[in-house]
């Protein structure tokens, strides 16, 4: 495991030496020269550990010290999960950036607080620090294999940061050496193609010097298979289909495997065999806030209930016969809507009657989301943390925390790259490049045949367009709530159709029988009425304008650099 807290003080000493150009300091106050740092393995590793804080975590509030609201992770710092600005979910509270900024269309160069504030600045700060390490190791006298791996990890991290930039902003300045006070700081934007060229070459080179997970390489540090997978993802975004398919096929051929239990995968603390790169936490030191901010109403005493899946997303899950619920031949029953559904539904979404994995204060282990009267109920008047859609987030929730995870002390790792995504990346790239051959079918069916899922194979004989839609559907379900949906809608250029002007819905559940005294939850579908037309009235119809396909560069960066051009529409 990466030791997040070991020798962390070294970063403070080094910071004046590696800060970004807007706070350059020509005097090194640390008292430690760069020559000394890059001549000591312990100091080099300590420096590398600080670079991993830029790998990002989508959980609310990121990763921070237990009991604090301030994350130490410096890349993502959302007050919501990315799912809440897609058709996957809605955020509950008006104060979060999803509802205050993003959903109503208040995205601008001067107020981008709603979507990863300081992202541009922090990415370039991380890029500079990575470049400082890469340059510093070039003349190092340390053992060659150590230098090669440390340099490769820094190159992997730098390429990852450039990918995060290019998929948000398009072409960005490509800076590959640490800038000094005498350098030209008024750099222009490179094209997106030039950035993707750099990412491809950097990750190809890094992979050659990184250890393999098959040889015991850590999954919370850059490794060979993770470099191929990240590169395959980046080339998918670049629409370089042949390259993307080739890179993902390398991972497949390396013998990676899916975790047998889809539910347990997202509750793991580290080293699940499906994971290619993850951000772990230090038990007792660092944690994240997924449970604190998403726990159902009846299972905790503070916060929670923030990410509420939409009815539209719930309706995307097939029935166990492999048919959509809209197909008249499917076994879907609107009077018992949660029965006979793709098992990934019950693993990902908290619905009425779904066991939540622990015994709440009442002694009942199932969610009770009856309208108003339910312990976790939609429009429950006893608490402002009730669901707004009739559903809660279940994926990532950790039942081992007990009844009251209100200190943000979750310990599950954040899964950045996993083999399930690689299979989907391969299927999409291969289909776009040369059509739906048997390897495309095999990749999708491997995901659907995971032992805990066991869904039917997709139909044979699909043409390229039909396969494209099947792949998009499978990504939607398999990767639910894992940050991919927003960027998939963006790169497929369908975000306007899916999001703009949409007012999403939830499930209103009432009973046909009298409410007993003392109260008892009703779970018998025969006595319940399910109304999926309930409008989520606490949020406005979402606004997604054509120029939102690229994020605005912060105006503060434009003001500092006359050669930096803003994205169109802003």
């Amino acid at each position: 495991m990466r030791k997040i807290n070991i020798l962390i003080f070294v970063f403070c000493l080094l910071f004046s030496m590696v800060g970004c150009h807007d706070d350059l300091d020509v005097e090194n106050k640390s008292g430690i020269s760069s020559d000394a740092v890059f001549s000591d393995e312990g100091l080099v590793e300590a420096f590398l550990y600080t670079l991993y804080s830029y790998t990002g975590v989508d959980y609310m509030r990121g990763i921070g010290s237990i009991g604090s609201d301030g994350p130490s992770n410096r890349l993502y710092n959302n007050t919501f999960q990315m799912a809440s600005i897609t058709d996957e979910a809605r955020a509950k509270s008006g104060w979060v950036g999803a509802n205050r900024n993003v959903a109503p269309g208040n995205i601008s160069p001067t107020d981008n607080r709603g979507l990863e504030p300081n992202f541009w600045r922090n990415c370039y700060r991380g890029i500079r620090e990575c470049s400082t390490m890469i340059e510093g190791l070039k003349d190092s006298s340390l053992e060659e294999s150590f230098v090669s791996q440390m340099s490769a990890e820094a190159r992997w991290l730098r390429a990852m940061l450039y990918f995060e930039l290019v998929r948000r902003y398009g072409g960005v300045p490509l800076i590959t050496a640490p800038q000094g006070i005498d350098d030209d700081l008024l750099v222009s934007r490179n094209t997106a193609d030039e950035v993707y060229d750099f990412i491809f070459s950097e990750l190809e080179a890094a992979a050659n010097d990184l250890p393999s997970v098959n040889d015991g390489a850590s999954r919370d540090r850059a490794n060979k298979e993770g470099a191929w997978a990240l590169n395959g993802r980046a080339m998918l975004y670049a629409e370089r289909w042949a390259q993307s398919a080739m890179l993902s096929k390398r991972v497949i051929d390396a013998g990676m495997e899916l975790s047998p239990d889809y539910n347990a995968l997202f509750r793991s603390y580290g080293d699940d065999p499906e994971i290619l790169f993850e951000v772990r936490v230090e038990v007792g030191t660092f944690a994240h806030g997924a449970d604190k901010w998403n726990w159902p109403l009846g299972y905790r005493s503070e916060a929670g209930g923030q990410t509420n899946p939409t009815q539209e997303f719930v309706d995307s899950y097939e029935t166990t016969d492999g048919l959509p619920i809209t197909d008249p031949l499917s076994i879907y029953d609107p009077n018992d809507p949660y029965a006979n559904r793709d098992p990934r539904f019950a693993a990902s979404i908290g619905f009425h009657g779904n066991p939540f994995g622990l015994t709440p204060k009442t002694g009942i282990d199932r969610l009770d989301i009856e309208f108003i009267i339910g312990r976790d109920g939609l429009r429950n008047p006893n608490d402002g943390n009730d669901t707004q859609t009739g559903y809660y987030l279940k994926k990532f929730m950790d039942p081992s925390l007990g009844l009251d995870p209100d200190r943000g002390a979750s310990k599950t790792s954040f899964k950045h790259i996993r083999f399930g995504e690689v299979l989907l990346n391969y299927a999409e790239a291969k289909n776009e490049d040369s059509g739906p051959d048997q390897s495309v079918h095999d990749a999708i069916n491997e995901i659907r045949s995971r032992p805990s899922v066991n869904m039917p194979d997709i139909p044979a004989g699909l043409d390229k367009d039909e396969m494209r839609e099947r792949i998009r559907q499978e990504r939607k379900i398999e990767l639910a709530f894992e940050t991919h949906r927003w960027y998939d809608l963006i790169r497929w250029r369908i975000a306007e159709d899916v999001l703009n002007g949409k007012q999403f819905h939830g499930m209103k559940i009432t009973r046909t029988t009298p409410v007993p005294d003392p109260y008892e939850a009703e779970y018998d579908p025969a006595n319940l009425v399910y109304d999926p037309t309930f409008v989520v009235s606490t949020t406005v119809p979402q606004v997604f304008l054509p120029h939102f396909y690229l994020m605005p560069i912060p105006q503060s960066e434009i003001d500092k650099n006359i050669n930096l051009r803003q994205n169109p529409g802003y």
Side-chain angles (χ1 to χ4, degrees):
M1 176 181 289
R2 183 170 78 252
K3 302 298 184 184
I4 297 176
N5 58 336
I6 187 172
L7 296 177
I8 202 68
F9 70 94
V10 174
F11 171 70
C12 300
L13 297 177
L14 289 169
F15 185 74
S16 65
M17 186 169 63
V18 297
C20 36
H21 72 346
D22 58 350
D23 53 8
L24 279 172
D25 188 342
V26 296
E27 180 185 0
N28 177 13
K29 300 182 180 68
S30 71
I32 300 179
S33 70
S34 59
D35 289 342
V37 170
F38 298 116
S39 299
D40 183 284
E41 287 192 4
L43 293 179
V44 170
E45 286 204 284
F47 190 6
L48 179 67
Y49 295 149
T50 68
L51 302 184
Y52 278 99
S53 67
Y54 290 101
T55 49
V57 171
D58 181 51
Y59 294 139
M60 290 191 66
R61 304 292 189 182
I63 286 182
S65 299
I66 291 176
S68 77
D69 286 328
S72 63
N73 181 283
R74 289 176 286 160
L75 196 57
Y76 303 165
N77 186 16
N78 288 335
T79 55
F80 59 93
Q81 289 184 239
M82 290 288 287
S84 296
I85 57 174
T86 74
D87 55 341
E88 292 175 305
R90 297 288 91 181
K92 170 183 65 65
S93 300
W95 57 266
V96 302
N99 293 330
R100 188 187 66 233
N101 295 84
V102 183
N106 299 327
I107 301 174
S108 76
T110 56
D111 185 4
N112 200 24
R113 291 173 297 171
L115 188 59
E116 300 164 348
N118 302 320
F119 189 87
W120 177 283
R121 182 192 69 186
N122 287 345
C123 271
Y124 275 106
R125 181 171 290 172
I127 286 167
R128 177 178 169 80
E129 292 175 21
C130 290
S131 296
T132 296
M133 182 169 185
I134 295 164
E135 292 296 316
L137 287 171
K138 283 183 177 179
D139 298 320
S140 174
S141 60
L142 296 173
E143 202 272 326
E144 183 178 353
S145 61
F146 175 82
V147 169
S148 295
Q149 180 174 337
M150 296 298 101
S151 296
E153 290 190 55
R155 294 176 81 174
W156 185 95
L157 287 159
R158 186 173 63 178
M160 181 273 295
L161 289 170
Y162 270 117
F163 170 66
E164 296 293 349
L165 285 166
V166 73
R167 73 169 174 171
R168 286 165 174 78
Y169 302 104
V172 295
L174 194 55
I175 305 169
T176 59
Q179 293 172 301
I181 197 68
D182 297 324
D183 291 326
D184 181 8
L185 305 181
L186 303 181
V187 292
S188 301
R189 297 174 66 171
N190 291 76
T191 67
D193 276 343
E194 289 171 333
V195 178
Y196 280 117
D197 285 342
F198 176 77
I199 292 168
F200 177 80
S201 62
E202 283 293 280
L203 290 175
E204 280 283 81
N208 291 330
D209 291 322
L210 289 171
S212 168
V213 293
N214 291 324
D215 296 327
S218 176
R219 297 170 194 266
D220 67 340
R221 287 174 64 165
N223 56 70
K224 187 181 298 293
E225 292 79 9
W228 292 335
L230 178 58
N231 212 357
R233 178 196 289 178
M235 295 307 104
L236 189 73
Y237 276 70
E239 297 186 353
R240 300 180 181 184
W241 309 122
Q243 283 184 327
S244 179
M246 174 268 294
L247 289 158
S248 293
K249 186 65 162 54
R250 285 183 190 170
V251 182
I252 295 170
D253 291 345
M256 301 305 300
E257 60 185 28
L258 295 173
S259 178
D261 190 333
Y262 183 81
N263 189 23
L265 166 64
F266 301 101
R267 295 179 174 184
S268 64
Y269 295 169
D271 281 335
D272 187 283
E274 182 169 338
I275 303 306
L276 293 165
F277 179 70
E278 63 190 345
V279 175
R280 298 187 211 170
V281 299
E282 286 286 323
V283 177
T285 305
F286 292 98
H288 60 73
D291 293 277
K292 172 180 178 178
W293 292 102
N294 291 297
W295 221 237
L297 177 59
Y299 286 70
R300 48 90 191 106
S301 63
E302 187 266 340
Q306 192 58 249
T307 307
N308 305 152
T310 66
Q311 187 63 46
E312 283 79 0
F313 193 70
V314 167
D315 289 345
S316 298
Y317 285 86
E318 299 169 355
T319 47
T320 51
D321 55 8
L323 298 175
I325 67 170
T326 54
D327 191 317
L329 299 178
S330 80
I331 55 176
Y332 175 70
D333 181 359
N335 297 313
D336 191 5
Y338 308 138
N340 303 313
R341 301 294 286 274
D342 183 326
R344 290 172 291 187
F345 169 58
S348 303
I349 294 175
F351 55 84
H352 185 66
N354 191 0
F356 212 70
L358 55 81
T359 303
K361 303 166 189 177
T362 58
I364 306 297
D365 70 348
R366 292 187 285 173
L367 288 171
D368 175 11
I369 315 182
E370 279 193 66
F371 184 64
I372 297 180
I373 60 176
R375 290 181 307 273
D376 312 293
L378 175 71
R379 294 293 182 270
N380 187 311
N382 298 318
D383 196 300
N385 293 319
D386 61 306
T387 172
Q388 305 299 291
T389 66
Y391 301 102
Y392 291 93
L393 182 66
K394 185 177 180 183
K395 202 173 192 177
F396 319 122
M397 300 295 98
D398 182 2
S400 71
L401 295 178
L403 300 179
D404 193 18
D406 65 352
R407 297 301 295 165
S410 302
K411 301 183 287 292
T412 50
S413 64
F414 182 78
K415 285 73 177 168
H416 257 284
I417 308 173
R418 62 183 181 90
F419 186 52
E421 182 208 341
V422 173
L423 289 168
L424 289 166
N425 292 348
Y426 172 78
E428 181 176 350
K430 185 66 173 176
N431 184 61
E432 295 297 336
D433 182 52
S434 56
D437 65 12
Q438 188 59 46
S439 70
V440 175
H441 284 80
D442 291 345
I444 301 174
N445 291 334
E446 183 173 351
I447 291 171
R448 292 171 66 85
S449 63
R450 186 194 300 263
S452 63
V453 175
N454 198 28
M455 287 290 288
D457 288 351
I458 61 172
L462 301 177
D463 64 26
K464 185 175 184 177
D465 292 338
E466 292 169 332
M467 179 60 80
R468 181 184 297 118
E469 294 308 310
R470 292 296 308 209
I471 291 169
R472 292 183 178 186
Q473 165 67 12
E474 199 65 27
R475 285 186 72 90
K476 186 178 183 181
I477 299 304
E478 174 68 18
L479 305 178
F481 311 116
E482 296 179 52
T483 76
H484 293 281
R485 183 66 175 166
W486 172 263
Y487 296 109
D488 282 348
L489 296 177
I490 295 291
R491 66 187 181 85
W492 294 332
R493 307 296 289 185
I494 62 172
E496 289 173 86
D497 295 334
V498 174
L499 300 176
N500 191 48
K502 298 298 191 297
Q503 181 81 62
F504 292 96
H505 297 82
M507 179 67 82
K508 177 181 177 181
I509 301 173
T510 55
R511 64 174 73 193
T512 59
T513 55
V515 179
D517 186 14
Y519 170 78
E520 182 178 346
E522 174 62 77
Y523 294 115
D524 185 357
N527 297 327
L528 297 174
V529 176
Y530 295 89
D531 178 10
T533 66
F534 179 83
V535 177
V536 183
S537 57
T538 53
T539 58
V540 298
Q542 185 154 349
V543 175
F544 189 97
L545 302 176
H547 58 279
F548 289 174
Y549 283 104
L550 292 176
M551 286 290 103
I553 297 172
Q555 189 62 42
S556 58
E557 300 296 331
I558 299 291
D559 292 341
K560 287 188 295 188
N561 182 354
I562 61 173
N563 293 323
L564 194 60
R565 296 289 181 260
Q566 183 59 268
N567 280 322
Y570 297 104

